[in-house]
Amino acid sequence: MLIRKAPVGLGKGGTLEGTQISRTIRRIEDLRNFFHDATSVRNIDPQTLVYEVDVYSPSESSTNGALNFGVTRIEPGRVGTEFFMTKGHVHSRGERTEFYWGIDGTGCLLTGDPEGRWRLEQILPGSVHYISPFSFHRLINTGEEQLTVGAVWPNDAGHDYDSFDRERMPRVISEAGTVRVLLSDESDER
Ligand code: S6P
Ligand code: ZN
């Protein structure tokens, strides 16, 4: 029997290479409503790259139990004091879970449960993170290098970007060269 080459691999710079891969690119113009400081958003070139997501979906979307494999690469940078981050979402099928793991760079994972309790986990190369059912999840690059994070999640999970109140989300900011977390008055930690 032939020993075949794997159809997909992680290339230099954290790009997924191979077949059945799609890429989503998010620039400042796509994220206007996600950063807190609207004035700073307006002052950045709308074409500025914030993050890219490569997704390998080997199964038909109708396949029961199908998984997606993804890699997210977030550029280093800030909007005002707020670090570059993903939009953040809860799965449309809220009970669907997900694993993240750190590949390169440093940052954090913000999660929030439906009761409004928030949690931040440090992401480092090799760190493993579990997104529990009904949890909001967002990646934040707090470092000077690109943050690269792998993920595996059910193909039928879907993305819901609007069910969590953005005003209540903790914000991760840079202050005097350190990473600081600002909680809204109504935020709770867990
Ligand atoms: C999908 C998974 C990731 C994110 C990606 C971008 O369930 O959590 O692939 O889609 O990190 O984040 P967002 O919030 O812009 O979809
Ligand atoms: Zn997800």
Side-chain angles (χ1 to χ4, degrees):
M1 188 189 282
L2 274 179
I3 300 178
R4 294 173 195 277
K5 215 174 143 218
V8 171
L10 200 56
K12 285 211 177 88
T15 52
L16 270 187
E17 288 164 14
T19 54
Q20 293 161 296
I21 292 165
S22 62
R23 176 167 297 165
T24 302
I25 299 176
R26 300 289 188 206
R27 303 181 188 279
I28 285 290
E29 64 180 356
D30 305 310
L31 302 166
R32 288 186 206 284
N33 302 323
F34 291 84
F35 289 99
H36 198 259
D37 182 351
T39 309
S40 295
V41 172
R42 278 196 297 276
N43 290 335
I44 300 180
D45 179 349
Q47 291 305 307
T48 303
L49 174 66
V50 181
Y51 63 95
E52 294 181 313
V53 189
D54 291 349
V55 178
Y56 172 41
S57 274
S59 308
E60 296 282 320
S61 54
S62 57
T63 308
N64 201 14
L67 292 175
N68 286 345
F69 182 100
V71 176
T72 302
R73 298 176 298 276
I74 310 176
E75 297 302 310
R78 295 191 294 268
V79 174
T81 56
E82 196 169 17
F83 288 106
F84 278 7
M85 60 189 185
T86 59
K87 287 182 175 184
H89 61 274
V90 63
H91 293 147
S92 310
R93 297 183 76 155
E95 75 282 8
R96 296 300 197 238
T97 58
E98 181 164 4
F99 276 116
Y100 278 169
W101 70 96
I103 296 172
D104 227 342
T106 52
C108 43
L109 166 65
L110 173 69
T111 56
D113 69 16
E115 281 73 49
R117 288 174 303 200
W118 296 93
R119 179 183 164 90
L120 278 162
E121 279 181 10
Q122 192 178 29
I123 303 177
L124 299 166
S127 62
V128 175
H129 311 268
Y130 179 62
I131 318 285
S132 46
F134 302 100
S135 286
F136 172 91
H137 42 293
R138 162 178 285 163
L139 295 166
I140 303 157
N141 186 353
T142 57
E144 303 292 325
E145 314 292 332
Q146 194 176 69
L147 173 67
T148 308
V149 177
V152 171
W153 70 100
N155 172 299
D156 62 358
H159 296 78
D160 172 355
Y161 293 104
D162 299 314
S163 285
F164 271 71
D165 181 356
R166 285 187 208 131
E167 289 303 313
R168 293 191 182 184
M169 293 178 187
R171 279 181 284 144
V172 182
I173 66 161
S174 169
E175 196 176 76
T178 61
V179 177
R180 210 182 137 206
V181 182
L182 298 181
L183 291 178
S184 85
D185 291 345
E186 292 158 297
S187 289
D188 237 345
E189 285 178 79
R190 71 186 161 98

